[in-house]
Amino acid sequence: MKSAVETLNPTRVRLSIEVPFEELKDSLDAAYKKINQQVTVKGFRKGKIPARVIDQRFGRGAVLEEAVNDALPKFYTDAVNEAELNVLGQPEVDITELKDGETLNFTAEVDVRPTLEIPDYSGIEVEVDAVEVGEEDVDKAVEELRERFASTSPVERAAEEGDVVTLDLEAKVDGEVLEDGVASGVSYTIGSGELLDGIDDAVKGLEAGGEATFASELKGGSAAGKEAEVTVKVSQVAKRELPELDDDFAQLASEFDTLEELRADSRKRLENMKQYDQATQAQERVLEKLLELVEVPVPEKLLEDEINTRKHNLEHHQLGQMGLDLEKYLEIQGKTAEEFDTETKEAAVKGIKTQFVLDELVNKEKLNVNQEELTEHLMRRAASSNMSPDQFAQAVVEGGQVPMLVGEVARGKALAVVVEAATVKDTNGEIVDLDDDEDEVSADGSAEGSTEEAAETEEAAEEAPAAAQEKTEA
């Protein structure tokens, strides 16, 4: 076999492959054997029909077609390996010449990973939010904890803001009561915004036994997004009572003996959260700077496939679970279809560029993924998928997704290398040391195909557009 490579553009090549006919012998033998098992010829036992009889009865062309279809993937793969190409997706194959007994010539056009030049990234500088926790932040955290330990006691008066009311609800659309539009004994805190729009105004001023009707757009269920007539009946009004902020509360709500200790712990937790957010912000902004430094051509077919994948995942998985269609989703988001398409394309481009650049960095920096890192990553992914580690691992193995997970971890490590080399300052002008949390955030860092910003650090580090996985099958 002989092969030659023609570069059509930075992300696409054409392979011209010439195969001497004798190299088709195994495929021809397999073709005759396959046809032998499928046909019956009078006077011959099944599977024992001579090749010349098959040629006479069914045509030599049918045999050649079967043989070529069997042989093409192997010759294509050999040519790809010989040229050391990193191909993306499936090739477009065209048989240019087939002479029986002489030669098989064909071409295969396929997208390839572009050759990237990663420049010196040590000069990258970014600014992130400073880690600042004020007394008002601690007050808010303690107050939220206090709210969780609030008690209620029934009162015989009209409902007021902040009261907890027990409600019976009935929703009608076009005068018909919805099958899933009836609920009894619903506990609701007035002013929380956790139920329907308009319900606060409807129930305020009502005593136990009181009833009101109001119009509201349903947020979920069989009639999500439709205007409904909602009847609400109050069966109980209860006043919320918050515990006193003292040492007794600290002992009730935590493992601490004093309120001072509880506040100190709340401050530490807030600082840790802000430090994590700061590290994530640093990675995101460093990645943005890195992408600006590297010229990354994007294969058109790969981009098209990635856009379609993102749209499909959004419409048939994410929105489906929320009982929404794309039109309603765009209405809620306040976006036009054109804006949605633009954002989806931008996110897809960014995801593909991120993967290409980080994968190139993995090679450049010779980064490897060990078993411990892979196991830790698998456990985090299992937790985010609400699956046990064993269930998630089984699904990954059965789906052949282990290389994808390895790639996610490797890309996270590559991004961590760049962040370590960059200069990160906070808004106060202070140098930020990310050594303590960099590895954790990086390794934790996917892209589910969605219309959310693809360069969010965790997703960007893991982003592996489905269409971009390397394949060598014809």
Side-chain angles (χ1 to χ4, degrees), residues 168-370:
D168 296 333
L169 297 165
E170 180 183 85
K172 294 180 180 179
V173 173
D174 298 330
E176 297 289 331
V177 178
L178 299 171
E179 290 186 9
D180 56 354
V182 179
S184 300
V186 177
S187 181
Y188 175 67
T189 301
I190 300 176
S192 66
E194 295 174 350
L195 278 179
L196 299 168
D197 293 337
I199 196 169
D200 289 340
D201 292 336
V203 298
K204 276 191 288 190
L206 295 181
E207 297 183 14
E211 186 175 301
T213 300
F214 64 100
S216 182
E217 183 178 295
L218 298 179
K219 297 180 178 180
S222 61
K226 293 185 178 180
E227 190 80 8
E229 179 184 85
V230 182
T231 300
V232 57
K233 183 176 181 180
V234 178
S235 58
Q236 179 181 277
V237 179
K239 180 180 180 180
R240 298 180 75 250
E241 297 177 344
L242 297 174
E244 292 294 327
L245 282 177
D246 52 23
D247 291 347
D248 288 339
F249 168 69
Q251 294 167 23
L252 170 68
S254 71
E255 71 271 28
F256 301 107
D257 293 327
T258 67
L259 182 61
E260 183 180 350
E261 290 175 323
L262 174 60
R263 289 180 62 85
D265 180 70
S266 296
R267 177 181 294 278
K268 182 61 178 176
R269 289 175 183 272
L270 289 170
E271 288 175 349
N272 289 341
M273 290 173 58
K274 286 181 176 287
Q275 286 171 351
Y276 179 86
D277 291 342
Q278 186 187 65
T280 302
Q281 190 179 63
Q283 287 190 321
E284 179 182 337
R285 294 182 178 179
V286 167
L287 178 59
E288 293 277 356
K289 292 283 189 179
L290 177 64
L291 294 180
E292 291 174 5
L293 292 176
V294 186
E295 184 177 347
V296 186
V298 176
E300 292 183 10
K301 182 62 168 61
L302 177 63
L303 177 59
E304 179 185 342
D305 290 346
E306 183 62 17
I307 290 172
N308 291 336
T309 298
R310 287 170 181 262
K311 287 183 176 179
H312 178 85
N313 288 342
L314 176 66
E315 292 189 61
H316 298 281
H317 297 291
Q318 295 163 275
L319 297 184
Q321 294 176 356
M322 295 187 288
L324 298 174
D325 59 17
L326 182 58
E327 183 178 355
K328 187 60 186 177
Y329 169 77
L330 294 179
E331 181 182 332
I332 293 172
Q333 294 291 313
K335 297 177 183 176
T336 65
E338 291 74 18
E339 289 172 333
F340 168 75
D341 287 341
T342 298
E343 290 180 3
T344 302
K345 181 177 180 179
E346 290 175 351
V349 168
K350 202 165 204 176
I352 293 170
K353 286 185 175 182
T354 295
Q355 181 184 331
F356 284 173
V357 171
L358 293 183
D359 283 348
E360 187 66 30
L361 269 170
V362 169
N363 294 330
K364 179 179 179 179
E365 302 294 343
K366 296 181 173 56
L367 301 176
N368 296 311
V369 176
N370 61 42

Side-chain angles (χ1 to χ4, degrees), residues 399-420:
Q401 300 299 303
V402 173
M404 182 191 74
L405 286 189
V406 172
E408 290 175 357
V409 178
R411 283 189 283 276
K413 294 180 70 172
L415 183 54
V417 169
V418 183
V419 173
E420 184 178 359

Side-chain angles (χ1 to χ4, degrees), residues 56-70:
Q56 292 169 357
R57 290 293 186 92
F58 306 103
R60 173 71 167 177
V63 179
L64 289 175
E65 181 179 357
E66 181 67 35
V68 169
N69 288 339
D70 175 74

